[in-house]
Amino acid sequence: MNAMSGLRRNDQPIYLDYQATTPMDPRVLDAMMPYFTVKFGNPHSRSHSYGWEAEAAVERARAQVAALIGADEKEVIFTSGATESNNLAIKGVARFYKDRKNHIVTVVTEHKCVLDTCRHLEQEGFEVTYLPVQQNGLIDLEQLRTAVTDRTAVVSVMAANNEIGVIQPLKEIGAICREKGAFFHTDAAQAVGKIPLDVEAMNIDLMSISGHKIYGPKGIGALYVRRKPRVRLVALIDGGGQERGFRSGTLPTPLCVGIGEACEIAGKEMEAEAARLLKLRQRFLDGINEKLSNTYVNGDLEQRIPGNLNISFAFVEGESLIMGIKSLSVSSGSACTSASLEPSYVLRALGVEEELAHTSLRIGFGRFTAEQEVDTAVEDIVKHVNRLRQMSPLWEMVQEGIDLKSIQWAAH
Amino acid sequence: MSYSDKLIDHYENPRNIGSLDKGADDVGTGLVGAPACGDVMKLQIKVSPEGLIEDAKFKTFGCGSAIASSSLVTEWVKGKTLDEAGTIKNTDIARHLALPPVKIHCSVLAEDAIKAAIADYRAKAGKKVAGAEGPKTGEVPAAAE
């Protein structure tokens, strides 16, 4: 597991953004290398051993992916990533069943690629219900039950959220979908390899998987598509009919091998790794809570992937904090870093007040995070939060006993 | 996003952080922005009997550009008359710090903060001349917009 400790160069910041992407595990890279050079065949070539060799590698990878989620290997197709998988799953099902069903149910805190896909389908004439979330980031199952009708083609609910890491009640959602006759798609990019997933036990009909979130390569993902009962899709990419006709194009053998190997490693090490990450996360939280007041964890702390935290440091704007903690690579919950000045739509959906949403950081721990790095992170964050609070007029007012809500702020 | 050296210097070594006595007659306080928008600036000026700004302090809740913009203007207003300080333009601040386009609003806020501080000082001075009672403590002047 510590194959990579010492891999980080001394001049590089400590990486605490594992929900954005992960470094490739060197074991994954080792498995991939021969397929770039020596074993370079086209896996779809049937007339010679180069093709057969590549095909065998791709099929082994498919089985590795399937094994991690309790699926049959015939039910896994390779894509370019979770974004494509989400597009294919939702658009594909909606368009195939559009004569009988015209309704989609999803959640306001989904990843942008799911929400944007749904917006696109609305323009094509589909109706979309966007379920709200509770304060802890989880959906209300009764609201889901009410929203799903006999016109609902697909329910798309993410397994774990990319910003706040909360895990939706997949099994219960799957049961409701099965009972109501709607397909259940889940974007599991942040959950695969982090928590146990079983497409049978959870009644999942379609599942999106990403390679680079699980220490595999970028540029590859997978989509699980159930065969019994059969889920049918209209393809997005037409061509040679590879991947059961769902996704034409020559498979990138080395990338397939990479995601397969990444899945196998994740499956073997999940339990121990989850326990280790939970310890690191608790160590981090304890350190912060011991030294700072007015910090808030956003999203449910129990129903959450082990490697994620999203914390608001009240009275300190997130981007200025990130600018201070130069030795740490984390992500801002406030989208001030992007062109829009709006705070995160996920935090707002939780009902986090805008002023607190502006003060949040997403901190992601992963396979190569060391305890020492967690301690350094706590030290650095505490130091800069204190420094920035000393120059925050809001902190000063609160110390003077002024209720910030009593002030008429001028919007700008 | 990469920032200019000047901006980073003001963020890492902000000038004139702190507070002046907002109840004092020779102090003008400007408080602009809103927590919900992600930035709030408090800028204070201390005006000499000759009408020169002899001290300036700020506190800012906001991104690095907002902190740098307010730090910069506290340097700029010192030694100026109120009229001179009132002519500081957001474009000057933005140019000096090489603010990226998405951060121009930070310089606008800094300009607003100076104007609000000047207006607050003048309102107090006016009241004093008219013999009215001094400002109530805890009252926060409305932001200039």
Side-chain angles (χ1 to χ4, degrees):
Chain A
M1 198 171 314
N2 286 320
M4 268 212 347
S5 49
L7 197 90
R8 181 167 63 85
R9 302 199 316 263
N10 284 336
D11 59 343
Q12 281 186 312
I14 295 170
Y15 189 74
L16 293 175
D17 201 9
Y18 278 83
Q19 277 80 56
T21 191
T22 60
M24 248 183 17
D25 191 304
R27 294 169 289 183
V28 172
L29 183 60
D30 286 347
M32 288 168 63
M33 287 301 271
Y35 294 93
F36 283 108
T37 50
V38 185
K39 304 177 179 179
F40 61 87
N42 183 327
H44 314 293
S45 292
R46 289 291 155 85
S47 53
H48 48 68
S49 62
Y50 290 94
W52 304 332
E53 183 178 58
E55 187 190 22
V58 165
E59 294 314 314
R60 178 170 180 267
R62 201 187 300 281
Q64 287 171 313
V65 175
L68 185 59
I69 59 171
D72 186 276
E73 62 202 65
K74 294 191 196 71
E75 299 174 306
V76 172
I77 64 168
F78 290 113
T79 65
S80 63
T83 291
E84 186 190 331
S85 297
N86 286 333
N87 269 266
L88 175 56
I90 301 168
K91 285 179 185 163
V93 165
R95 287 172 183 164
F96 190 91
Y97 296 93
K98 70 168 188 281
D99 293 339
R100 278 171 283 161
K101 299 183 166 193
N102 70 338
H103 181 227
I104 297 158
V105 176
T106 188
V107 182
V108 291
T109 51
E110 290 292 311
H111 191 274
K112 278 274 157 69
C113 66
V114 167
L115 294 175
D116 206 46
T117 293
C118 289
R119 295 258 181 255
H120 191 92
L121 288 169
E122 281 185 279
Q123 286 169 1
E124 288 182 22
F126 291 93
E127 280 173 35
V128 181
T129 300
Y130 298 91
L131 291 175
V133 293
Q134 305 168 88
Q135 209 172 3
N136 60 3
L138 302 177
I139 62 165
D140 178 339
L141 290 167
E142 282 316 304
Q143 281 185 333
L144 173 69
R145 188 184 293 280
T146 313
V148 182
T149 70
D150 56 359
R151 302 282 289 164
T152 307
V154 60
V155 172
S156 182
V157 180
M158 70 202 321
N161 184 272
N162 49 304
E163 286 191 36
I164 54 175
V166 298
I167 302 163
Q168 297 291 351
L170 299 174
K171 194 173 175 188
E172 290 78 1
I173 296 168
I176 291 172
C177 292
R178 187 59 59 92
E179 176 195 320
K180 298 257 190 170
F183 290 127
F184 176 26
H185 165 251
T186 186
D187 170 6
Q190 299 286 352
V192 167
K194 319 281 163 66
I195 56 169
L197 292 171
D198 187 318
V199 293
E200 290 307 325
M202 295 170 167
N203 280 323
I204 294 166
D205 298 305
L206 299 125
M207 182 193 287
S208 302
I209 300 168
S210 165
H212 74 102
K213 308 284 192 195
I214 54 172
Y215 311 94
K218 294 173 177 64
I220 185 133
L223 180 65
Y224 160 78
V225 186
R226 179 176 289 282
R227 276 160 58 98
K228 284 179 201 159
R230 183 180 290 273
V231 180
R232 301 164 83 100
L233 304 173
V234 175
L236 296 177
I237 298 174
D238 299 314
Q242 291 92 347
E243 301 299 274
R244 292 164 59 198
F246 291 145
R247 210 279 187 176
S248 289
T250 298
L251 285 173
T253 315
L255 301 183
C256 296
V257 168
I259 193 174
E261 191 68 19
C263 282
E264 179 156 342
I265 295 170
K268 278 184 189 151
E269 299 183 353
M270 190 189 304
E271 209 180 320
E273 176 66 0
R276 192 185 75 90
L277 288 176
L278 276 176
K279 256 177 77 180
L280 288 183
R281 185 171 88 186
Q282 197 55 48
R283 187 179 180 91
F284 180 88
L285 265 182
D286 290 346
I288 293 289
N289 289 334
E290 189 187 315
K291 299 187 188 89
L292 291 176
S293 62
N294 295 281
T295 64
Y296 309 93
V297 174
N298 299 306
D300 199 285
L301 201 49
E302 297 299 319
Q303 294 302 314
R304 193 184 197 105
I305 53 168
N308 171 275
L309 273 179
N310 187 303
I311 308 186
S312 292
F313 298 91
F315 318 118
V316 173
E317 198 273 338
E319 197 195 324
S320 68
L321 181 53
I322 288 181
M323 217 169 141
I325 48 176
K326 282 180 296 190
S327 66
L328 312 176
S329 292
V330 301
S331 145
S332 169
S334 75
C336 254
T337 40
S338 68
S340 92
L341 299 170
E342 298 293 312
S344 145
Y345 68 95
V346 172
L347 296 185
R348 279 195 301 172
L350 262 59
V352 174
E353 290 172 48
E354 286 199 55
E355 47 258 60
L356 266 184
H358 279 292
T359 70
S360 68
L361 295 189
R362 179 180 73 179
I363 296 154
F365 309 103
R367 188 174 289 168
F368 307 110
T369 309
E371 199 174 272
Q372 182 55 48
E373 292 178 319
V374 170
D375 294 345
T376 306
V378 169
E379 218 173 280
D380 222 28
I381 290 172
V382 167
K383 180 175 131 196
H384 285 278
V385 167
N386 282 331
R387 175 179 108 91
L388 290 164
R389 278 183 178 169
Q390 285 314 311
M391 64 168 96
S392 166
L394 305 179
W395 178 251
E396 181 182 66
M397 290 160 113
V398 168
Q399 302 307 304
E400 288 169 3
I402 297 172
D403 178 7
L404 297 180
K405 289 196 173 49
S406 70
I407 292 168
Q408 285 261 314
W409 300 101
H412 61 280
Chain B
M1 209 181 292
S2 74
Y3 292 111
S4 69
D5 291 344
K6 279 181 189 161
L7 190 154
I8 291 170
D9 181 43
H10 273 282
Y11 168 78
E12 289 184 346
N13 310 294
R15 330 299 196 248
N16 308 308
I17 292 180
S19 298
L20 301 168
D21 176 9
K22 65 176 173 250
D25 286 342
D26 58 350
V27 170
T29 302
L31 184 73
V32 297
C37 301
D39 31 29
V40 174
M41 282 180 195
K42 187 187 80 166
L43 195 133
Q44 295 183 301
I45 50 172
K46 186 166 190 266
V47 183
S48 73
E50 294 75 37
L52 289 177
I53 298 174
E54 56 182 20
D55 199 6
K57 295 278 182 202
F58 86 95
K59 284 204 173 187
T60 290
F61 163 81
C63 60
S65 302
I67 290 171
S69 297
S70 34
S71 166
L72 177 67
V73 298
T74 57
E75 278 197 323
W76 279 2
V77 297
K78 276 198 202 179
K80 285 196 166 68
T81 65
L82 294 179
D83 285 344
E84 284 166 351
T87 63
I88 292 173
K89 289 275 164 296
N90 84 286
T91 45
D92 301 331
I93 302 165
R95 198 175 310 119
H96 185 85
L97 296 172
L99 293 183
V102 297
K103 295 298 180 188
I104 296 300
H105 70 281
C106 298
S107 63
V108 174
L109 205 59
E111 183 190 320
D112 288 348
I114 308 170
K115 295 215 159 95
I118 294 171
D120 179 56
Y121 172 78
R122 286 193 165 139
K124 274 186 189 172
K127 272 188 190 170
K128 211 167 78 176
V129 171
E133 60 186 28
K136 291 174 212 133
T137 50
E139 195 177 62
V140 178
E145 212 34 52

